[in-house]
Amino acid sequence: MPLEISNSQYSPVAFADVMGWNDDDHLAAYKAFRISCQPIAVQNGPPADSKALGTSLRDPCRIARGLELSDRAKAKAFFEENFLPLRISRLGEGEGFVTGYYEPILEGSREQNEVYTVPIYRRPSNHFVKGQTQASVGLPNKGPVYRKIGRRKLVPYWDRAEIEDGAIEGRGLEIAFLKNQTDLLFAQIQGSARIELPDGSMVRINYDAHNGYPYTPVGRILIERNIIPREQMSMQKIREWMEQNPEGANELRRQNRSYIFFREVNLSATDEAVGAQGVPLTAGRSIAVDKALHVYGTPFFIEGELPIESAQSKTPFRKLMIAQDTGSAIVGPARADLYFGAGAEAGRVSGRLRHNARFVMLLPKSLDPVARGRKLPVPDARPSEKIAKLFPQVDPLKERPRDASGAKESAKSVAPVAQATTAQAPAAKPVPLPEARPTTAPAREMRRHRRYHQR
């Protein structure tokens, strides 16, 4: 079958028609692609989830595994030889939508004290997701989550307000402590963070699980309440407002009932964060996509005018990106979260991105939709006019008269005959019905069978 991606429209294009394709640094994209290929190339079985690309990335990944390229032109040639560009967007729309994310660097402590009071929690032992076990790493970021009461009863997990009020404190779940709830909220929104400890060492944390409630963007609430204009909205604006309005920040934060639990990961201070694919992200080349539609490792060329250099700038953004992560707010065939790295500057750039952009998905050549479409069976040839007259088509929904045997006949063929018969001969006498079949008592075995079911 041709390629099928839910709720999307797509059409093949030529690489020469993709704006900015020739000017990009394809070697940087190739290096990020090879990182994604490490788990893909060794796969042998069918994919766990049914998606349009299926296992088609294995072929280009196995080719890339044997190519140590160091030249931009050769990297560009690799993508052109192994992929086909496909312009893609949501059905009925011409463009996609991009946001940005980063890895915060926050001050924290292993011990709770007067300065560091807000705990970062790991996943509790009474946290249950259907179809998953406590040994699962990185539980789904959508869907219901339960906690057990007694031995069998399951109820929805506590929401943000209940957890902030101490629902799970004192259980030894604390990884570290931060200065305030705003720092924790930003770490939860980004899905990872670097915690700088007083002795200069660093703790790295990554998303591990959520509490089952849908994510509610606090920025959207501020826009709806006319606190921050939509055109000025950014993560920096949210942080500034929360710092200036601590009481309002508590109420606003709890409007988002979603709560994220983390796990500590063994990464150095220079290692990049690990995405949902399980591989390190690459700043400026990794994106988060809708994992219900797309396969990790898929290359996407994204082109648009984005506020990279400043909040008011329209910087040309034309880059080949690799799908290596996901997020609960990333939904749709042409929706991406661009990863900008770690630190304050990465946070400023990513925080002001909420813009339209154009998406071109690179499709492995084994899934060429044009070639596959040629193999689809076509309907039988339309009959000639002569044959059509000999075998007229009858509307099956149209009521047809019955002949003497009770069988339906064609309305066109029967109606003229019936009219002629009525004019030439009297109507036939009605045929008497047979007598009703006498009622018989059920056999003894049947009566016993009925009593058995009545017990």
Side-chain angles (χ1 to χ4, degrees), residues 97-104 186 189-190 215 218-220 223 228-239 306-312 335 337-341 343-355:
F97 190 73
V98 297
T99 49
Y101 73 116
Y102 74 110
E103 188 177 23
F186 274 68
I189 291 173
Q190 303 306 319
Y215 170 69
V218 293
R220 185 177 66 192
I223 292 173
I228 299 178
R230 183 181 299 275
E231 60 274 11
Q232 298 180 15
M233 177 55 64
S234 68
M235 298 298 285
Q236 186 62 32
K237 287 286 186 180
I238 296 173
R239 178 179 283 277
L306 305 180
I308 303 296
E309 296 178 359
S310 68
Q312 290 76 33
R335 174 73 174 91
D337 216 8
L338 315 182
Y339 178 66
F340 284 93
E345 181 58 28
R348 281 189 287 271
V349 175
S350 61
R352 55 185 179 239
L353 259 64
R354 291 183 57 83
H355 292 71

Side-chain angles (χ1 to χ4, degrees), residues 44-231:
N44 292 315
D49 301 321
S50 177
K51 297 173 186 174
L53 261 62
T55 60
S56 62
L57 283 173
R58 291 179 189 173
D59 291 340
C61 274
R62 287 168 179 170
I63 294 173
R65 187 171 57 174
L67 293 177
E68 288 282 354
L69 301 182
S70 57
D71 182 82
R72 291 187 180 187
K74 291 181 179 179
K76 177 174 175 285
F78 166 82
F79 288 111
E80 293 178 348
E81 291 169 3
N82 292 280
F83 293 91
L84 295 170
L86 201 70
R87 195 173 299 281
I88 185 170
S89 61
R90 189 187 295 272
L91 191 63
E93 299 177 2
E95 296 182 316
F97 190 73
V98 297
T99 49
Y101 73 116
Y102 74 110
E103 188 177 23
I105 300 178
L106 307 171
E107 294 181 7
S109 170
R110 287 287 195 181
E111 305 295 332
Q112 188 174 22
N113 53 43
E114 294 180 354
V115 177
Y116 302 105
T117 60
V118 178
I120 302 171
Y121 286 123
R122 60 174 53 90
R123 188 199 319 171
S125 60
N126 65 342
H127 178 282
F128 293 93
V129 177
K130 290 184 177 179
Q132 304 287 336
T133 67
Q134 284 294 322
S136 300
V137 176
L139 296 181
N141 56 12
K142 295 180 182 178
V145 175
Y146 305 94
R147 59 186 174 90
K148 184 179 290 188
I149 296 179
R151 301 183 66 180
R152 293 187 176 182
K153 185 177 180 181
L154 294 177
V155 298
Y157 209 81
W158 287 296
D159 69 1
R160 175 177 294 276
E162 293 169 317
I163 294 174
E164 287 186 1
D165 289 339
I168 59 175
E169 68 179 359
R171 299 187 181 184
L173 300 172
E174 298 83 1
I175 297 175
F177 296 86
L178 301 176
K179 287 183 176 181
N180 54 63
Q181 291 286 357
T182 301
D183 281 349
L184 177 61
L185 175 65
F186 274 68
Q188 292 177 327
I189 291 173
Q190 303 306 319
S192 65
R194 306 182 185 196
I195 313 300
E196 291 184 337
L197 303 180
D199 62 1
S201 61
M202 182 172 287
V203 176
R204 303 291 298 275
I205 57 173
N206 262 26
Y207 168 93
D208 190 39
H210 73 124
N211 65 337
Y213 293 90
Y215 170 69
T216 301
V218 293
R220 185 177 66 192
I221 299 174
L222 291 172
I223 292 173
E224 292 172 350
R225 295 179 180 179
N226 297 319
I227 296 174
I228 299 178
R230 183 181 299 275
E231 60 274 11

Side-chain angles (χ1 to χ4, degrees), residues 3 33 37 39-63 82-83 293-298 363-367 372:
L3 187 73
F33 177 71
C37 283
I40 294 174
V42 298
Q43 294 174 353
N44 292 315
D49 301 321
S50 177
K51 297 173 186 174
L53 261 62
T55 60
S56 62
L57 283 173
R58 291 179 189 173
D59 291 340
C61 274
R62 287 168 179 170
I63 294 173
N82 292 280
F83 293 91
L293 300 178
H294 297 303
V295 175
Y296 293 136
T298 303
L363 191 71
K365 283 194 172 180
S366 61
L367 292 184
R372 300 182 87 190

